[in-house]
Amino acid sequence: MGITPATRDPRRRAISELLWGGAVAGKTADLAAAAAEQLIALVDELCQDGPAVLVVDELQWADSTTVAVWSRLARSARQRPLLLIGLLRPVPRRDDLRSLFRIVGPGERLRLRPLAEPAALELVTALAGGKPGVELERLAAGAAGNPLYLTELVDALTRSSCLEVDTAGNVELTGSATPDSLPEAIADRLDFLSEAARTVLRAAALLGDGFSVEDLVTVTNSSLAVLLPALDEARAAGVLVAAGDDLAFRHPLIRQALYDEMPTAVRVAWHQSAAWALAEASAPVERVARQLLPMVSTTDSRVPVPAWAVRWLLDVATPLIGQAPAVAVALLRRAVRDTPLGDAVTGALAGRLADAYYRDGNVAQAERIACRALDHVRDPDVLVDLHTTVALCRGLTGRSAESLAVLGEAVAQPGLEARHRARLLVLIARTHRDLGEFDNAARVATEALTELGAAEDRWATGWALHVLSMVAMTRGEWTEALPLFERAIPIARGDPALVDLTLLLRINQSITFGALDRSDDALAAAGRARELADRMGSLMRLTQVQSALGQLLLAAGRWDDALAEVDVLADERKDPSVVCCDHGVAAIIHFHRGETAAAQRHLDLAAPHAERIGDWVVESLVRARSLAFEHDGAPERALEVLTDVLTGEDAREELLADAVRLAVATGDRAAAEEIEARVREIAAASPVPHRRALGMYCRGLLDGDAAELLRAAEGYRAAGRPLSEATALEAAAVALAEAPDGDRGPARDAFTGAIEPYSGLDAHWDVARLRARFRPFGIRRGPTVKHRQVTQGWDSLTPTEVRIAALVVEGLSNPQIAGRLYLSPRTVGTHISHILTKLGVHSRIDIAREAARHQSTTD
């Protein structure tokens, strides 16, 4: 109880002597019982003199006599000026300790919670002697608010001379991110757990910070019934916490400590065993691969990839590359090294490795490996795979033309089977399409289908139809593209080797539905593509479907949702064309909302990626660049940006509409008539509402025909395109205001009609421009636009964010909210992140608290 022999108080001295083995009245006695009575008497004396405090730490280790004394004191504490404090961990669980809870009421029991982030950083600042820098702050986050681990962390870093205070008073890391002494120190703090629990936790540490119980059962080869007591003990001790349907280490530092205390050789062997067990249990490929990864990352390069793992890699390479290309690169690189030269497997492994490098963004290395393998491989299937990777790499670096000669030689080789020849023809068709040679692309893709004849090859058939659909989409032949998807999707669906093609077809089908004004079908197709990409872990296609959703939502006027979709994943995880498209969508919205700095930031971020894809630039980025010049008061330059890309068969309808508008505004009648002629061809006899509206809009602009422009606005409204509707109404209002009859009534109606959809979009720049333009006509009325000036607090939330916050208050999870609002869980996560930032809070509970506070102030 913290009493030492050296004390001046006679009673305390007597208690101390008893505990150190003295005698009572010269006779042997129950020393602990005697000391307990003396202690109770001492507490009585202290309480007679005034209020007293008695603290017993680590009560879970107390002997039965101490528990009995604490129980007696607790029963009498309410009748005397005594504050009795006992601190104990939830484990080990003891019946005598449980009995204390019957004495101490629920209101008298406190459960210590982790420090909130500000308090944790304040503690680190005090311990380190300065404000933590970025790296120290990141490392401290691993302690998850545990003050003991934060203290151990800073002490270990200090002992290892890893901390340095810079001139600004920030504490930066200068050495190893995790000192060797730290895991040992933290591991020592876990000695309150049973050995069985620690053994299970070491196995769990192999699986990562979070893990599924099913995987733990698999890698330990134990039943859940055997593991349950250890897991319950770890959860009761606060070492493990629930994480959805899985479990996770509450503190990443604990997991790291348990992991690091195992010798490297033991860890590698255990990882290999875990990988084999998970593979045998048909666990998701990325989980198996994560267990193999330490084998190739160990400093001992003599550790070979087991033969079973090489076979497994070949079987699962396609989904693994889609889900985790960097992991696939590491494993395949070691597998290629360990496979005997000339082995039949070598070429296939090299092909998979080249594909993995390509998917991971290392295009140069992918091309080198594929080209080197082409000199040695003879298997036609592997040859086609290698040619595919080379063609993709050259296409991405603007060198598609180099592929045509090589592919031409390959397809001319004698003795090729029809399916191999058809596959090579598909690659040639894709290359022609990348070069903008659409007639050649369609011709060769059709030749590939003819080459197959009665032969069945789902790969060649599906990809040939994909090329034909892409050509149709590029030409704006949306109604012709739709049947191609309906033919191709059933062919590709269900084939593991064609998952990537299935995703592409679904994504392009959603874009086609959107172009045909079938918005519900478009969002449904995109949703199916997103679900498949999520399930298969195909990050590249997931970024593309998110981008497609951003474009659909932009056209539909759901701008806040569009911004959330394009912001879900980081640029470094996207294809350059997707990066350009996403930043283009965001810049368009910010320009229309008058947020010029934000729009320009998106253009700057897109610029290096646009350079990589050469002359072919995505439509949204072109529109955004044109808008930038309009904002700068340079409409001629804005028109030039559009006309530079409106060449050949490329039918970019939004660009055509803007080009006619700018040509008319700048007085370039010849350019306006030339572009309007192209629009007339597109709109002629088209059943698509927005295409008919496009034709009326351009014709109305050219002729100054207000009636035609009003009909265009009605068509755009029917198509669900509010920005285009507002633009047509604005043009109609101008035509009416400038009419010689001077009747301002119809002009005012059109003016008011334009402001309404602009206001619904928060298009403040358009509203301000419109009002300034009509002020000379004496037209000033119109709804007042509420400019979202507020950037913090409840009033700064967008309508979608308000809906999501309400669902958070109901207790719905991100997937449940996503299902309710037809959004992706990642998008919901982005919205919730924005909500937390705007409200200045840290958790979903805080959102509920802020919602209640907001409701109370508005009632």
Side-chain angles (χ1 to χ4, degrees):
M1 297 183 188
I3 301 176
T4 64
T7 177
R8 296 177 182 177
D9 185 276
R11 191 177 293 280
R12 295 190 190 196
R13 186 167 57 251
I15 294 171
S16 177
E17 290 175 352
L18 287 169
L19 293 176
W20 282 85
V24 179
K27 299 184 292 181
T28 302
D30 186 337
L31 303 182
E37 293 301 327
Q38 292 280 4
L39 178 63
I40 291 172
L42 173 61
V43 171
D44 286 337
E45 292 178 6
L46 292 173
C47 289
Q48 290 173 10
D49 294 338
V53 178
L54 179 62
V55 180
V56 182
D57 197 3
E58 301 285 5
L59 195 54
Q60 75 277 1
W61 302 125
D63 57 26
S64 58
T65 304
T66 301
V67 174
V69 170
W70 203 95
S71 178
R72 287 176 61 183
L73 291 173
R75 287 190 177 91
S76 63
R78 295 182 180 87
Q79 283 76 46
R80 57 175 93 180
L82 172 64
L83 175 60
L84 185 62
I85 300 174
L87 295 94
L88 75 161
R89 297 178 184 272
V91 292
R93 296 176 175 177
R94 293 168 44 182
D95 292 338
D96 55 349
L97 290 178
R98 288 197 189 96
S99 67
L100 297 181
F101 293 136
R102 291 193 292 271
I103 302 171
V104 179
E108 297 171 315
R109 297 200 296 265
L110 299 176
R111 184 177 181 85
L112 295 180
R113 302 292 180 183
L115 294 176
E117 183 180 354
L121 292 178
E122 184 179 346
L123 175 59
V124 174
T125 299
L127 294 170
K131 181 181 178 182
V134 175
E135 284 303 308
L136 178 56
E137 186 174 330
R138 178 192 60 78
L139 199 57
N146 187 310
L148 176 61
Y149 296 151
L150 289 169
T151 303
E152 294 284 2
L153 171 67
V154 177
D155 285 350
L157 290 169
T158 302
R159 288 193 301 270
S160 303
S161 301
C162 294
L163 298 181
E164 182 178 279
V165 181
D166 63 17
T167 55
N170 297 322
V171 182
E172 301 289 351
L173 289 180
T174 60
S176 170
T178 307
D180 294 338
S181 58
L182 179 60
E184 183 180 349
I186 293 177
D188 286 344
R189 300 290 185 176
L190 300 177
D191 57 5
F192 61 88
L193 293 170
S194 67
E195 185 56 35
R198 288 170 67 94
T199 300
V200 171
L201 287 173
R202 289 189 195 100
L206 295 170
L207 300 173
D209 291 339
F211 58 92
S212 76
V213 176
E214 181 183 2
D215 285 352
L216 186 61
V217 167
T218 300
V219 301
T220 58
N221 194 27
S222 303
S223 68
L224 180 58
V226 171
L227 295 179
L228 205 53
L231 293 175
D232 283 345
E233 181 182 347
R235 289 190 65 188
V239 176
L240 295 180
V241 293
D245 295 331
D246 298 332
L247 293 175
F249 286 91
R250 180 185 294 275
H251 308 292
L253 286 176
I254 293 181
R255 181 255 167 186
Q256 193 65 44
L258 290 165
Y259 187 83
D260 289 347
E261 71 177 355
M262 290 183 278
T264 301
V266 173
R267 284 204 305 264
V268 171
W270 205 349
H271 275 299
Q272 286 194 28
S273 176
W276 184 85
L278 290 170
E280 286 291 297
S282 300
V285 294
E286 187 180 0
R287 293 186 190 173
V288 180
R290 295 287 179 189
Q291 294 304 308
L292 289 172
L293 200 57
M295 171 189 61
V296 301
S297 59
T298 180
T299 54
D300 186 358
S301 61
R302 295 169 297 175
V303 179
V305 178
W308 74 263
V310 173
R311 294 191 298 272
W312 177 83
L313 275 172
L314 282 174
D315 290 340
V316 305
T318 298
L320 177 61
I321 290 168
Q323 295 174 33
V327 174
V329 164
L331 293 176
L332 287 164
R333 186 171 55 202
R334 179 64 70 87
V336 168
R337 190 208 68 175
D338 291 345
T339 304
L341 199 61
D343 191 294
V345 176
T346 307
L349 285 172
R352 300 292 190 270
L353 178 58
D355 187 29
Y357 270 120
Y358 170 76
R359 302 292 177 185
D360 197 37
N362 193 338
V363 177
Q365 183 71 347
E367 185 177 353
R368 276 194 296 272
I369 291 173
C371 287
R372 191 184 309 132
L374 279 171
D375 295 334
H376 304 285
V377 172
R378 296 293 175 264
D379 185 316
D381 289 320
V382 178
L383 281 170
V384 171
D385 288 343
L386 292 170
H387 278 300
T388 301
T389 300
V390 172
L392 289 171
C393 291
R394 289 174 177 169
L396 200 59
T397 53
R399 297 156 47 232
S400 293
E402 294 180 24
S403 296
L404 285 178
V406 176
L407 291 171
E409 291 176 5
V411 79
Q413 289 181 354
L416 282 179
E417 294 181 17
R419 67 186 187 90
H420 294 125
R421 178 176 163 78
R423 290 187 175 201
L424 290 169
L425 286 171
V426 166
L427 293 179
I428 294 173
R430 291 171 70 178
T431 304
H432 280 303
R433 189 263 166 191
D434 290 343
L435 291 169
E437 300 170 358
F438 305 126
D439 286 341
N440 286 336
R443 174 182 56 78
V444 178
T446 303
E447 184 183 347
L449 293 173
T450 304
E451 179 70 31
L452 285 171
E456 183 177 339
D457 188 279
R458 298 174 72 181
W459 190 99
T461 303
W463 281 104
L465 291 170
H466 168 69
V467 172
L468 291 172
S469 68
M470 288 293 292
V471 170
M473 291 173 66
T474 306
R475 289 172 168 168
E477 298 169 351
W478 303 105
T479 52
E480 290 79 1
L482 206 54
L484 295 170
F485 296 121
E486 293 168 355
R487 285 178 59 192
I489 289 175
I491 291 171
R493 188 169 48 214
D495 188 335
L498 295 177
V499 169
D500 192 56
L501 174 60
T502 304
L503 286 167
L504 275 174
L505 292 168
R506 287 289 189 195
I507 293 168
N508 289 335
Q509 184 188 43
S510 71
I511 294 172
T512 301
F513 277 135
L516 293 171
D517 295 334
R518 294 171 56 177
S519 58
D520 289 343
D521 291 332
L523 292 172
R528 286 191 289 270
R530 181 173 56 197
E531 181 183 355
L532 178 59
D534 253 336
R535 188 170 67 249
M536 300 308 298
S538 179
L539 184 59
M540 174 183 288
R541 300 308 176 204
L542 184 60
T543 63
Q544 291 174 339
V545 71
Q546 295 287 154
S547 186
L549 276 167
Q551 297 172 68
L552 291 170
L553 295 167
L554 170 68
R558 293 171 54 182
W559 285 4
D560 293 319
D561 292 339
L563 289 173
E565 292 292 350
V566 302
D567 193 35
V568 168
L569 297 168
D571 285 356
E572 56 267 21
R573 307 179 78 180
K574 301 177 183 177
D575 179 271
S577 61
V578 173
V579 175
C580 291
C581 181
D582 288 354
H583 285 300
V585 166
I588 288 169
I589 294 171
H590 287 304
F591 273 132
H592 280 288
R593 287 181 166 176
E595 298 159 351
T596 308
Q600 190 58 54
R601 180 176 60 83
H602 282 287
L603 289 182
D604 293 341
L605 291 171
H609 300 278
E611 291 177 5
R612 289 179 60 190
I613 58 178
D615 294 334
W616 188 84
V617 184
V618 296
E619 178 178 337
S620 62
L621 187 58
V622 175
R623 287 178 62 193
R625 287 173 170 172
S626 178
L627 275 170
F629 283 114
E630 280 201 76
H631 267 254
D632 289 342
E636 293 84 359
R637 295 290 305 280
L639 175 60
E640 185 180 339
V641 168
L642 300 178
T643 54
D644 280 349
V645 299
L646 289 173
T647 58
E649 303 174 76
D650 207 346
R652 308 186 189 194
E653 296 165 16
E654 297 294 341
L655 302 189
L656 293 169
D658 283 341
V660 173
R661 175 178 58 82
L662 288 167
V664 170
T666 57
D668 192 341
R669 181 79 184 183
E673 289 178 344
E674 179 183 347
I675 299 169
E676 190 275 334
R678 292 178 59 181
V679 171
R680 202 181 319 135
E681 291 180 12
I682 293 171
S686 174
V688 182
H690 88 266
R691 277 194 161 188
R692 293 198 303 270
L694 173 66
M696 290 183 282
Y697 173 68
C698 293
R699 188 74 247 170
L701 280 175
L702 202 59
D703 296 342
D705 186 339
E708 190 79 346
L709 290 166
L710 289 171
R711 284 192 290 272
E714 184 61 34
Y716 280 130
R717 185 181 302 114
R721 298 181 178 236
L723 180 62
S724 297
E725 175 196 351
T727 306
L729 285 168
E730 178 181 349
V734 172
L736 289 166
E738 293 177 345
D741 59 15
D743 187 356
R744 295 288 184 265
R748 183 175 289 106
D749 291 342
F751 165 82
T752 303
I755 283 186
E756 184 175 344
Y758 278 144
S759 301
L761 297 169
D762 283 336
H764 313 298
W765 175 68
D766 297 279
V767 170
R769 186 199 64 250
L770 184 61
R771 284 180 167 158
R773 186 170 187 179
F774 278 82
R775 202 167 290 121
F777 296 111
I779 298 176
R780 294 183 173 84
R781 291 206 304 268
T784 301
V785 182
K786 179 185 176 183
H787 198 305
R788 195 178 290 143
Q789 295 283 0
V790 181
T791 58
Q792 296 292 319
W794 196 268
D795 290 338
S796 69
L797 301 185
T798 67
T800 298
E801 290 166 354
V802 170
R803 290 199 300 274
I804 289 176
L807 295 175
V808 168
V809 172
E810 289 183 27
L812 271 65
S813 66
N814 283 14
Q816 290 171 325
I817 295 172
R820 184 80 65 89
L821 299 182
Y822 302 101
L823 299 171
S824 75
R826 284 185 173 86
T827 304
V828 172
T830 299
H831 278 303
I832 289 178
S833 176
H834 292 166
I835 293 169
L836 293 172
T837 300
K838 290 179 178 180
L839 297 182
V841 297
H842 303 285
S843 70
R844 298 166 76 94
I845 295 175
D846 293 333
I847 292 175
R849 188 179 297 112
E850 288 298 315
R853 184 180 295 118
H854 174 73
Q855 184 64 36
S856 66
T857 59
T858 54
D859 287 345

